[in-house]
Amino acid sequence: MHQKHVLLIDGMALLFRSFFATAISNQFMVNRHGNPTNAIQGFLRHSLTAIEQVKPTHVAVCWDMGQKTFRNEVYTEYKANRQEAPLELIPQFDLVKEIATHFSFANIGVKGYEADDCIGTIAKVANSETKVSIVSGDKDLLQLLTDHVEIWLVKKGYGEYDRFTHSRFQEEYGITPAQFIDVKGLMGDTSDGYPGVKGIGEKTAFKLIREHESIEGILENLHLLTPGQKKKIEADLDMLHLSRKLAAIHCEVPLPELYYNEWSGVPSAAGEIVDHHELKTVHRFLASYQAFTGERI
């Protein structure tokens, strides 16, 4: 019997990435129904390309469900610096989920949590006999790496990935994936709108965690830090703890009972939804797409 291999797709990351890849030249790919489809078409190409390489037995796509999550209750400025979604992208949020179901992708999203939290929860509950591959563009997910969980970070174009295993991460960064949360707590994240410790950048954050193992270890050894480092951390102590809390992926999301679908190739019915919404680039892609079952779509 083949090992179960679950592919978790960060739907929001791939959808936004696909939208801006063509929006920069105003290629919104509006169909006859008046709906822009550029983000959807890029998302499908990314997802199917990943499936072809990963060869999973099960697939799920995780989504954000609105802008507000429990992190906004903890820190009102969380992601407050982000601009509103472009008008051409908004109608694609619901439509992409509808279309994804026709491709046998399970859509997972829980109000009050981010897609990352759903991904983390599924990865955590998977037993050691189940392999999990996560496709995203978000480095925050590296904290989820284990011996049976891999992260495939998308690079420019389709089919190019920066593939992280647990061992590769430790060799390159000199810390464990769990310690990466403390690094983020120290350095903050400007894209998510939490500052960490002002004046502590990525290089220093990694150095401090390598030397002291954790934020608690740093605080116990403040006397060993440089005067500048000690002063910065003491001045931003509350924000340090808060930033670490915001950086941690929540892995206890109340998921629906069925949270991934078995994958056995692109269903024949997918072609109908592609034609209905005039997903022309997807149509061309499917014409040459080889599902790993060996059947030409």
Side-chain angles (χ1 to χ4, degrees), residues 53-236:
Q53 292 197 29
V54 174
K55 295 179 170 52
T57 60
H58 297 75
V59 177
V61 187
C62 295
W63 305 97
D64 293 347
M65 300 298 287
Q67 293 181 324
K68 301 295 183 182
T69 69
F70 73 94
R71 291 180 179 84
N72 297 101
E73 297 174 6
V74 174
Y75 183 54
T76 56
E77 295 302 305
Y78 182 72
K79 291 190 177 180
N81 57 335
R82 296 198 177 183
Q83 295 181 343
E84 293 291 325
L87 290 175
E88 295 85 359
L89 178 57
I90 292 172
Q92 299 187 63
F93 288 137
D94 289 333
L95 184 56
V96 70
K97 294 170 192 170
E98 175 194 334
I99 293 173
T101 61
H102 289 270
F103 279 81
S104 291
F105 301 160
N107 290 311
I108 304 299
V110 179
K111 191 173 181 180
Y113 299 95
E114 296 180 42
D116 287 3
D117 300 317
C118 295
I119 290 170
T121 301
I122 297 172
K124 182 180 178 182
V125 300
N127 60 45
S128 59
E129 302 301 313
T130 300
K131 185 173 182 179
V132 178
S133 296
I134 300 167
V135 173
S136 177
D138 187 354
K139 287 187 176 181
D140 289 351
L141 290 165
L142 292 173
Q143 63 185 268
L144 300 176
L145 287 164
T146 68
D147 288 338
H148 65 279
V149 176
E150 292 186 351
I151 310 294
W152 295 42
L153 296 175
V154 292
K155 297 167 73 174
K156 190 174 181 180
Y158 296 98
E160 295 292 324
Y161 305 96
D162 198 7
R163 185 174 173 181
F164 277 89
T165 61
H166 186 270
S167 58
R168 179 196 163 185
F169 179 88
Q170 289 190 290
E171 288 170 9
E172 285 195 17
Y173 292 102
I175 62 171
T176 67
Q179 287 175 308
F180 187 47
I181 301 170
D182 285 21
V183 169
K184 294 282 292 185
L186 283 163
M187 63 182 277
D189 189 322
T190 53
S191 67
D192 284 343
Y194 61 88
V197 176
K198 291 177 184 176
I200 299 288
E202 181 178 5
K203 185 177 179 181
T204 301
F206 272 105
K207 180 175 182 293
L208 290 173
I209 295 302
R210 289 189 195 108
E211 292 175 352
H212 302 285
E213 298 187 353
S214 66
I215 287 172
E216 285 75 20
I218 293 171
L219 298 179
E220 289 171 4
N221 294 283
L222 282 174
H223 61 285
L224 299 177
L225 273 56
T226 67
Q229 291 169 348
K230 182 174 182 290
K231 183 178 180 181
K232 290 170 185 174
I233 290 172
E234 287 179 332
D236 261 343

Side-chain angles (χ1 to χ4, degrees), residues 12 56 107 202 238 266 297:
M12 301 308 297
N107 290 311
E202 181 178 5
D238 289 342
V266 177
I297 303 302

